[in-house]
Amino acid sequence: MGFRVRVSPMVDPARHRWWASGTPAEQAGELNALLRDPEVRAVITHTGGQATIGYLDLIDLDATRADPKPIIGYSDISVLRIVLYAKTGFVGFHADIVTHGFGSDWYTLGEEGLEMPEAGGRTAVMK
């Protein structure tokens, strides 16, 4: 399909804060950077994201409206997609563990073979 995968900085097994990849402000900052980046054409989450509810009020809704791009994920990412739909009319996609095909199992991503322990809201990016 011609997609190039770019792994976001917070998708790093060394980063963890309880069950998440960072604080709500850090997670929102990463998502907002992806939403504002014109080269990013879709955001694909690695896991569900138990911490998603902690950063919903920090999402840049103007960036979502200005350059809509699919947000694909499951579990708590559904909450993110519902909020974006309610606030902007933007529609996302439900997909169960979408990164499964990026590696030999869902703990690896792409050719890097980056080990990723399950953590909420970690994001892989397709551009």
Side-chain angles (χ1 to χ4, degrees):
M1 294 174 69
F3 291 115
R4 292 174 292 147
V5 175
R6 181 175 81 196
V7 180
S8 293
M10 289 183 74
V11 180
D12 179 348
R15 289 190 57 93
H16 56 83
R17 181 178 182 269
W18 297 88
W19 57 83
S21 58
T23 67
E26 290 171 325
Q27 290 180 305
E30 179 172 82
L31 177 59
N32 287 332
L34 299 173
L35 294 173
R36 295 174 187 138
D37 186 337
E39 291 187 7
V40 173
R41 301 316 316 146
V43 177
I44 301 178
T45 62
H46 176 62
T47 63
Q50 298 174 10
T52 303
I53 199 161
Y55 63 83
L56 292 174
D57 61 334
L58 303 174
I59 297 168
D60 184 347
L61 299 175
D62 291 333
T64 303
R65 289 183 192 102
D67 184 17
K69 50 196 78 175
I71 296 179
I72 304 164
Y74 79 114
S75 188
D76 281 14
I77 300 304
S78 298
V79 174
L80 171 61
R81 290 184 292 103
I82 289 167
V83 167
L84 289 176
Y85 177 74
K87 299 284 187 176
T88 69
F90 177 75
V91 177
F93 300 96
H94 175 86
D96 192 20
I97 308 180
V98 296
T99 55
H100 180 68
F102 291 163
S104 60
D105 58 48
W106 77 278
Y107 286 101
T108 61
L109 182 65
E111 295 177 3
E112 300 90 13
L114 178 64
E115 291 294 319
M116 292 198 223
E118 183 173 359
R122 297 200 175 182
T123 309
V125 182
M126 295 183 78
K127 65 175 189 171

